[in-house]
Amino acid sequence: MRCRWKCLLGLGLAIIALNGILLLLSRQVFLDSFIRLERRQARETLQRGVGVYQEHLVFLKRLAGDWAQWDDAYDFMQSRDRRFLLSNVVDSTFTSLNLNVLVFLDDKGKIVAGKAFDLNNQSEVPIYAGLQQLFRDGWSQRVLRIHAQGVHGLVSLPEGSLLMALQPVLTGEGKGPPRGSLLMGRFLDPAELGRLRAKANLPFEFTRLESGPEWMSWTKTANPGPQILLRAVDSHRLRSRILLRDIWGQPAQALGVTLPREIYARGRQAMVYFHLGLLLFSIAAGSCIWLIWVRLVSSEQKQRDSESLFRHVFQNSVDAFFLCDANGRFLDANQQACRVLGRSRPDLLELGWADVADTSLEDARGAANVLSAARFLPCEVTMRGRRGQGIPAEISVSRVALLPQSYFFVLARDISERRASENMLREQKLKLDFLAYHDVLTGLPNRLKALELLQGAIARARNRNTTVAALLFDIDRFKNINESLGHVVGDQILMEVARRIQGVLRGSDVVARFGGDEFLVLLENPADGEGGRAVAQKLLEAMACPLQIGRHRFYLTGSVGISLFPQHGGDAQAILKAADNAMFHAKAQGRNTCRFFMPSLQVDVEARLNLETDLHRALEQQQFHLTYQPQFNLQTGSVIGLEALLRWRHPTRGLVPPDEFIPLAEDTGLIVPIGEWVLREACRQMVAWHRGGFPRLRMAVNISARQFRQSGFIDMVFRLLRHYGLEPGLLELEITERVVIQSAEHARNMLTILRQAGICLAVDDFGLGYSSLSYLRTFPFSKLKMDQAFSRNLADDACDRAIAEAIVSMGRTLGMEVVAEGIENALQLDTLRSLGCPSGQGFHLAQPMTAAETAAFLRGHPQGEFCPEELL
């Protein structure tokens, strides 16, 4: 016994010594690797921040290069025309480009023109004294030595650190000789640091430049780029500094970042877990060794332990075990066997296998003979409990030969729960099959089932030489209810509509929810078309009854399209397509009606598809062109502006009216690229006229609702203005009232940005839409275009005359210009003049003309040049 304890003590001491040595080695090797990994990851993270800083510099360099290689800037450096500065070096330039200073220098480094801007206070300030002092000290001479290539970087000024880019002023093609240089800069202040912090996702902060005992000297390194220095503050924080150098390689600004030491913490935690696991493994391994050794020296104890283990497994198994003799009598049974059969162990030992199972003794013996090789043969039987109840079980029988006798070992598993699960799965499968072919909300057959039913009805009708009617029913304006009251109310309406439809049908008829608010009704062998029409009328009458949902009372209507087999198609898809076309026609005819399919409806649909295809090709093949209709001062008769109008000349159809293709372009989304082309062409033509010596007239362009809501619309407008060098005040965007009402807050923000940039905003077709005074007060419009419906009946309709007079008076009171559209005769013109309407357009004054015709027209008519300062 003492020898065993000595061996155990020695084994324990060996485990402790081994773990101690591994602990010391891991602290030197394992933890150091985590520290190196932490520093490498920290440097990679900080390099991302340095990259963001350098991206800001590169962006500033690119921005300065774009301006410096601008023909207008090159001309300005030659002519020193102040109009260039008034048009381009304005407050909005600094705010939109996030600049603090923009300076033009001559080839000697002297300031020609420029401006400084305080972004925090949104106000112009004098050019910073520190920057001027650098120019006087000859700093610019040092930079101008390489001005042909440009320079960008950081400059330390008394006012702060300035991110700057200096680029030579060249032509638009990048050719010289240089006429001077353009300097753009922004301060590396807390606001700019915040942008760096947000983009790099790092908590940057300014720190002092001087070095401490734990930092290497900033000035000893010759690296001209940003430097990164790391220092561990404690076990939780890693402190770093990023040194930013100026354009001469001198220290200029230091940024500090404090990073958590997550990798180091995980390394320490992993080391603890490793040693804890190693210790536990060592203890387990030592225990196994100890047990093996004990069992080797004590075979008797090993045998007793083995028997005890077998007994434990036998008695505590979740399966029932029976030990039988050759005649099937029970010799032993475990606790689970007693629980399954509801009998005590002594009771079971008095019974045999035939007493508790529906398998006879002969069958059991036959199974035993088959299992002579001690293999298992699982089979299902029904066992009988104490009270005679049936217990489904799965059994396996094996033969154990212990000469001179043989024994049979029976394993039985209660599969009652499995049988219950299988029954539940069958029920779930039936339920899933129902859900796959039925609508969850109404319980009606869904689209998939409806197609199957229609195909079956068509097959029977084909065999019997009968007819099938398909009625496609749709609730009128159901989308408005869903959007205004929510889907809960909409679902209740759909359930009630489904109930009403079922109430008017025969038992042999079929109704299915075809999708959304559409229902399909199938009638087999109706009385020709009249049977389908009668059912459709019943459906419409059922819908006409008021519907009460909560506190809301609805008066619903529907549209029904009817198609017949075989008259309107030979298969299910053709019949459904015909019914859908008929329903579309019913909606187009005013809704709340039913229509049969006619071949002409298919022709209309195909014509619309062909027109849509041609519309796709029109933009690619340059079939569009613009015409221009002048706008006049009604009091003086002078031309004050032009409106760009889109025209489509089809190669075979000729001139397609706008009211035919504009709505289709809106539906298909093609209005977005078409609208951008119109705006680009109008800007290009306007600039061409200005360069040709024509007066600076304002150009009006219509903007569609879908184009206005498109993301990137404002960027597209500003990009075109910059590309053509067009003053924002010479562009007028016409927007209908419906656009601003549909998304008021979003529209207000977009219109405010456009108006602040100087672009004129006009309300098109004013008077026919909402015409709410509140949005005229809220939105930054500067012009009202009175709809031509009021101009048309001015002389004959006193009501229209009163409305026109009110619009003119309201525009005058609100400080908005009023333009009357559709002036077609002299009487209308005289009436508008008497009302005091300031401006107008129409066929009586001038028809829409091509660019060449417009140029000829302008040469022979007086023009009133537009002054953009009127909008400021």
Side-chain angles (χ1 to χ4, degrees):
M1 197 67 179
R2 291 180 180 178
C3 181
R4 293 183 180 181
W5 285 110
K6 287 180 180 180
C7 292
L8 181 60
L9 180 60
L11 183 61
L13 293 175
I15 292 173
I16 294 174
L18 179 61
N19 279 272
I21 294 172
L22 291 176
L23 178 61
L24 294 176
L25 291 176
S26 64
R27 291 185 61 88
Q28 296 296 326
V29 180
F30 188 76
L31 193 57
D32 285 348
S33 65
F34 274 88
I35 293 175
R36 289 192 299 272
L37 179 61
E38 175 189 63
R39 286 182 170 271
R40 182 167 66 251
Q41 186 179 30
R43 286 186 177 276
E44 291 174 354
T45 301
L46 295 174
Q47 285 294 343
R48 186 176 72 248
V50 172
V52 172
Y53 163 77
Q54 292 174 341
E55 286 178 5
H56 278 230
L57 281 179
V58 172
F59 173 78
L60 191 60
K61 173 187 175 183
R62 188 180 298 115
L63 180 63
D66 292 342
W67 276 62
Q69 294 184 12
W70 187 12
D71 289 338
D72 290 352
Y74 192 82
D75 296 338
F76 165 73
M77 292 300 293
Q78 289 180 294
S79 64
R80 308 295 169 86
D81 189 353
R82 303 297 294 179
R83 289 181 296 177
F84 172 82
L85 300 176
L86 294 175
S87 301
N88 298 279
V89 186
V90 294
D91 293 352
S92 61
T93 301
F94 289 85
T95 56
S96 61
L97 300 180
N98 193 26
L99 294 177
N100 289 105
V101 62
L102 191 155
V103 176
F104 287 90
L105 307 172
D106 61 14
D107 54 0
K108 296 181 180 180
K110 294 183 180 181
I111 297 178
V112 174
K115 184 177 180 180
F117 193 79
D118 188 345
L119 292 173
N120 295 327
N121 297 323
Q122 295 291 301
S123 63
E124 181 180 354
V125 296
I127 296 179
Y128 302 102
L131 190 59
Q132 297 185 24
Q133 182 64 32
L134 287 177
F135 294 150
R136 289 194 291 271
D137 291 343
W139 171 85
S140 59
Q141 293 298 329
R142 298 170 62 187
V143 175
L144 289 176
R145 293 173 189 160
I146 56 172
H147 80 284
Q149 292 80 25
V151 65
H152 66 283
L154 193 63
V155 177
S156 296
L157 300 178
E159 293 82 358
S161 297
L162 182 69
L163 295 171
M164 58 81 69
L166 185 69
Q167 294 293 326
V169 178
L170 303 173
T171 64
E173 292 78 14
K175 299 180 180 179
R179 295 297 181 181
S181 304
L182 170 64
L183 185 144
M184 286 185 174
R186 66 177 66 147
F187 279 110
L188 186 59
D189 53 9
E192 185 68 16
L193 183 65
R195 286 185 283 272
L196 289 176
R197 182 187 297 119
K199 190 169 183 180
N201 195 20
L202 289 174
F204 284 125
E205 59 184 6
F206 292 114
T207 63
R208 295 177 298 177
L209 281 174
E210 59 268 16
S211 60
E214 68 278 12
W215 299 91
M216 62 183 296
S217 175
W218 296 105
T219 59
K220 290 183 179 179
T221 57
N223 183 11
Q227 294 174 249
I228 297 174
L229 302 179
L230 299 173
R231 180 177 66 87
V233 179
D234 51 27
S235 60
H236 303 289
R237 295 176 299 163
L238 188 67
R239 179 66 175 175
S240 69
R241 290 183 183 176
I242 300 176
L243 174 64
L244 306 179
R245 295 180 179 272
D246 60 17
I247 59 175
W248 300 291
Q250 299 300 320
Q253 184 67 59
L255 302 180
V257 182
T258 301
L259 301 173
R261 302 191 66 183
E262 297 177 351
I263 296 179
Y264 178 78
R266 288 198 296 268
R268 293 183 61 183
Q269 186 180 30
M271 188 176 67
V272 171
Y273 288 157
F274 171 77
H275 285 288
L276 182 59
L278 181 61
L279 180 60
L280 294 176
F281 175 79
S282 301
I283 294 174
S287 300
C288 291
I289 294 173
W290 169 256
L291 291 175
I292 292 173
W293 182 79
V294 169
R295 292 192 179 194
L296 288 176
V297 299
S298 179
S299 59
E300 183 180 355
Q301 183 65 37
K302 178 181 177 181
Q303 183 177 3
R304 285 196 297 265
D305 291 343
S306 178
E307 292 177 356
S308 176
L309 179 62
F310 174 77
R311 176 59 58 182
H312 177 77
V313 173
F314 181 81
Q315 291 296 336
N316 297 287
S317 175
V318 295
D319 294 326
F321 288 110
F322 302 91
L323 183 62
C324 305
D325 60 12
N327 297 321
R329 302 294 299 180
F330 291 138
L331 300 178
D332 200 357
N334 67 350
Q335 297 177 7
Q336 181 65 14
C338 299
R339 283 194 292 268
V340 170
L341 298 178
R343 299 175 184 272
S344 63
R345 185 171 178 273
D347 291 342
L348 279 178
L349 296 181
E350 296 177 357
L351 302 175
W353 178 253
D355 299 323
V356 298
D358 58 355
T359 303
S360 64
L361 182 59
E362 288 75 13
D363 293 337
R365 288 179 176 178
N369 292 332
V370 172
L371 297 172
S372 59
R375 296 177 181 175
F376 292 93
L377 177 64
C379 62
E380 292 187 7
V381 300
T382 301
M383 304 180 71
R384 292 187 293 273
R386 182 183 181 90
R387 299 178 180 178
Q389 73 275 18
I391 303 171
E394 186 178 73
I395 67 169
S396 296
V397 182
S398 61
R399 177 175 177 273
V400 181
L402 295 176
L403 297 177
Q405 297 182 354
S406 295
Y407 302 91
F408 296 97
F409 190 75
V410 183
L411 183 148
R413 177 171 297 173
D414 187 358
I415 60 173
S416 302
E417 294 183 358
R418 192 174 76 182
R419 288 282 180 85
S421 299
E422 291 174 353
N423 294 334
M424 183 177 67
L425 288 176
R426 281 193 293 271
E427 294 177 359
Q428 291 292 334
K429 184 178 182 301
L430 293 175
K431 185 176 181 181
L432 289 175
D433 291 341
F434 178 84
L435 293 177
Y437 290 97
H438 291 79
D439 177 50
V440 178
L441 180 65
T442 61
L444 297 176
N446 58 12
R447 186 186 188 94
L448 184 62
K449 186 66 174 179
L451 287 172
E452 182 179 313
L453 294 173
L454 178 57
Q455 291 170 352
I458 290 176
R460 289 189 295 271
R462 185 179 288 112
N463 294 332
R464 301 169 184 173
N465 196 23
T466 56
T467 305
V468 177
L471 284 68
L472 196 59
F473 175 82
D474 180 84
I475 305 175
D476 295 333
R477 300 182 180 88
F478 181 74
K479 181 180 179 182
N480 297 337
I481 298 175
N482 256 351
E483 292 178 350
S484 59
L485 300 179
H487 291 280
V488 175
V489 175
D491 290 345
Q492 293 178 342
I493 291 176
L494 290 174
M495 289 188 290
E496 176 60 23
V497 169
R499 188 189 63 79
R500 292 186 180 184
I501 293 176
Q502 288 176 301
V504 301
L505 298 180
R506 303 171 301 179
S508 59
D509 299 334
V510 175
V511 58
R513 186 184 176 190
F514 209 58
D517 59 328
E518 290 184 354
F519 295 87
L520 178 67
V521 177
L522 300 179
L523 308 176
E524 292 196 50
N525 195 22
D528 296 329
E530 295 304 320
R533 186 186 302 275
V535 173
Q537 291 297 333
K538 290 180 181 180
L539 292 177
L540 296 178
E541 292 172 2
M543 288 294 297
C545 298
L547 176 60
Q548 188 74 31
I549 302 294
R551 59 185 180 87
H552 301 286
R553 190 175 182 85
F554 300 97
Y555 294 88
L556 302 177
T557 60
S559 301
V560 184
I562 308 173
S563 63
L564 300 175
F565 171 85
Q567 292 90 328
H568 300 148
D571 56 21
Q573 295 296 336
I575 295 301
L576 290 175
K577 184 178 180 181
D580 185 66
N581 290 338
M583 185 186 69
F584 180 81
H585 183 61
K587 285 185 174 293
Q589 295 297 316
R591 298 182 173 87
N592 195 26
T593 185
C594 64
R595 288 291 183 269
F596 274 91
F597 172 77
M598 295 182 294
S600 59
L601 300 181
Q602 184 67 25
V603 174
D604 294 341
V605 173
E606 292 178 355
R608 177 182 171 89
L609 292 176
N610 293 335
L611 184 62
E612 181 179 343
T613 302
D614 293 344
L615 192 59
H616 279 276
R617 297 173 181 169
L619 189 60
E620 300 173 359
Q621 300 177 359
Q622 300 180 354
Q623 297 176 9
F624 292 115
H625 69 277
L626 294 184
T627 60
Y628 305 91
Q629 186 174 36
Q631 297 176 346
F632 294 85
N633 185 318
L634 298 185
Q635 308 303 322
T636 64
S638 61
V639 179
I640 60 173
L642 298 167
E643 181 179 1
L645 301 174
L646 179 63
R647 295 294 182 262
W648 178 16
R649 186 170 297 279
H650 193 276
T652 58
R653 302 183 186 185
L655 195 62
V656 181
D659 57 355
E660 288 188 15
F661 70 87
I662 292 296
L664 182 60
E666 283 274 5
D667 293 341
T668 59
L670 287 174
I671 195 66
V672 175
I674 293 175
E676 182 175 351
W677 178 86
V678 171
L679 189 59
R680 181 186 298 108
E681 179 65 15
C683 293
R684 185 200 63 78
Q685 185 61 60
M686 187 161 35
V687 171
W689 279 335
H690 293 170
R691 292 176 178 174
F694 286 94
R696 298 162 61 249
L697 299 175
R698 180 191 288 160
M699 179 71 75
V701 179
N702 289 277
I703 303 299
S704 70
R706 190 158 186 171
Q707 183 183 9
F708 184 77
R709 291 193 298 267
Q710 191 75 12
S711 62
F713 171 75
I714 293 180
D715 294 338
M716 181 268 292
V717 174
F718 289 163
R719 185 177 68 253
L720 292 179
L721 291 177
R722 289 194 302 268
H723 177 74
Y724 291 105
L726 188 65
E727 298 179 28
L730 296 178
L731 178 63
E732 175 183 315
L733 301 181
E734 296 185 2
I735 302 169
T736 61
E737 304 169 49
R738 180 171 61 90
V739 174
V740 299
I741 296 300
Q742 286 179 345
S743 181
E745 187 63 28
H746 178 66
R748 183 184 299 109
N749 295 334
M750 293 182 63
L751 293 176
T752 301
I753 295 173
L754 294 171
R755 191 69 183 90
Q756 289 177 348
I759 297 173
C760 178
L761 301 175
V763 182
D764 196 17
D765 299 335
F766 182 78
L768 289 184
Y770 298 90
S771 300
S772 171
L773 295 180
S774 62
Y775 81 80
L776 291 180
R777 177 176 56 84
T778 305
F779 296 94
F781 290 112
S782 55
K783 179 183 285 189
L784 300 179
K785 298 200 68 175
M786 183 168 57
D787 190 83
Q788 60 183 350
F790 302 107
S791 302
R792 187 180 302 116
N793 301 319
L794 280 176
D796 302 327
D797 195 326
C799 182
D800 283 351
R801 177 185 177 90
I803 293 176
E805 185 177 5
I807 293 176
V808 172
S809 177
M810 179 177 59
R812 186 184 303 112
T813 303
L814 296 176
M816 296 183 181
E817 182 182 355
V818 177
V819 179
E821 296 182 294
I823 303 176
E824 298 180 353
N825 54 58
L827 182 58
Q828 294 174 357
L829 177 61
D830 294 339
T831 305
L832 288 170
R833 283 175 176 170
S834 65
L835 295 178
C837 183
S839 54
Q841 66 185 84
F843 284 5
H844 179 69
L845 300 174
Q847 295 188 3
M849 298 170 284
T850 64
E853 294 170 345
T854 303
F857 178 84
L858 293 177
R859 291 190 185 97
H861 287 75
Q863 297 105 34
E865 185 167 328
F866 168 67
C867 181
E869 286 75 10
E870 296 174 359
L871 298 177
L872 302 178

